Amino acid sequence: MSRRSGILEFAVLGLLRESPMHGYELRKRLNTSLGVFRAFSYGTLYPCLKTLVTNGWLIEEPGASPEDALAAPLAGRRAKIVYRLTAEGKEHFEELLSQTGPDAYEDEHFAARFAFFGQTSRDVRMRVLEGRRSRLEERLEKMSASLARTRERLDDYTLELQRHGMESVEREVRWLNELIESERAGRDIKSSASGSSAQQDSTSGETGGLPRHRDSSRPDPSDDTTT
């Protein structure tokens, strides 16, 4: 399994733990709540869903009422499929939530993990946040060393771009420091994070924050149908 497909499976299981959904609803939630998935397609989502069904972590259910299901063939339409998390799927997702290995600190995976912090125990949240901070501090050190070596050979625009990248990492480190302090103090994360939301948005591009934007896509009329 590739790292990206593993992240997608994790996010799908997490969203379906909240409530059953059909494919378009899932894609919209992945797009709006987890901006890291904003560029993925239905062609990526449906193989993932099929894999989760095969593994016994999801089940497929008809999404229409009995009357609609009878009327659908007459209207030339096919009934939507709703995906529901199984008990085994919930257990698997909880196991994934407890993992705090290096992958949890990487840009895309961290964004997905952070989106489900409300379902994650405090000790796991702390390990993920501290691991992410450590990873970014290492990145910042390397960027600073690289900039010092190449500064004289760079034109003004390239130099400014590198400075911008360093500032983005520094902002996320400050944001992580605030979150870690709040976790240690047992404070409500909403109150501590509200003052840092601008930092979170500004770091979403290259350091794995959570982008926020409106979903302007329209549903595919052939989406979520039985074959």
Side-chain angles (χ1 to χ4, degrees):
M1 179 191 303
S2 70
R3 178 179 293 178
R4 187 168 178 81
S5 63
I7 298 170
L8 179 58
E9 290 187 4
F10 170 83
V12 168
L13 291 172
L15 290 175
L16 290 176
R17 188 186 184 189
E18 299 173 3
S19 65
M21 301 180 205
H22 58 71
Y24 176 69
E25 289 175 310
L26 269 171
R27 184 177 185 271
K28 186 174 181 180
R29 288 290 306 279
L30 288 165
N31 187 297
T32 56
S33 301
L34 297 169
V36 67
F37 297 110
R38 61 185 176 274
F40 87 102
S41 66
Y42 287 106
T44 303
L45 176 60
Y46 283 98
C48 171
L49 290 170
K50 293 299 182 184
T51 297
L52 296 176
V53 170
T54 300
N55 290 341
W57 298 330
L58 302 182
I59 57 173
E60 297 177 330
E61 299 177 338
S65 66
E67 294 80 9
D68 290 340
L70 291 173
L74 298 177
R77 299 177 180 177
R78 294 173 292 176
K80 288 181 179 295
I81 295 174
V82 170
Y83 296 90
R84 182 184 299 274
L85 196 66
T86 64
E88 292 80 5
K90 181 179 180 181
E91 182 178 348
H92 179 62
F93 178 67
E94 290 173 349
E95 179 183 344
L96 294 176
L97 276 181
S98 69
Q99 296 177 2
T100 59
D103 282 352
Y105 317 148
E106 298 299 335
D107 294 349
E108 291 184 346
H109 207 153
F110 175 74
R113 288 299 302 269
F114 190 84
F116 295 102
F117 263 21
Q119 304 179 45
T120 307
S121 63
R122 174 164 293 178
D123 62 321
V124 172
R125 293 198 303 264
M126 282 292 295
R127 289 198 294 271
V128 173
L129 289 171
E130 290 175 341
R132 173 66 175 173
R133 180 177 63 181
S134 177
R135 180 64 50 86
L136 290 182
E137 288 173 341
E138 292 174 3
R139 184 183 301 176
L140 192 59
E141 184 177 347
K142 291 178 181 178
M143 293 172 73
S144 180
S146 175
L147 183 60
R149 290 193 306 268
T150 61
R151 181 186 300 272
E152 299 302 324
R153 301 194 300 270
L154 299 177
D155 62 69
D156 290 343
Y157 294 101
T158 304
L159 185 61
E160 191 62 29
L161 183 62
Q162 292 206 11
R163 286 173 176 165
H164 173 69
M166 290 181 61
E167 289 172 358
S168 296
V169 178
E170 289 169 347
R171 282 195 296 270
E172 187 173 353
V173 170
R174 291 195 296 269
W175 173 64
L176 289 167
N177 285 337
E178 293 177 7
L179 293 177
I180 290 169
E181 181 182 352
S182 294
E183 290 286 351
R184 287 175 176 165
R187 293 198 298 268
D188 184 357
I189 205 68
K190 292 180 180 179
S191 60
S192 63
S194 60
S196 304
S197 60
Q199 294 176 11
Q200 183 178 345
D201 291 340
S202 67
T203 61
S204 62
E206 56 189 316
T207 57
L210 300 178
R212 297 173 182 174
H213 61 281
R214 296 183 182 275
D215 175 31
S216 59
S217 60
R218 296 181 179 180
D220 182 345
S222 62
D223 175 37
D224 308 318
T225 55
T226 56
T227 55

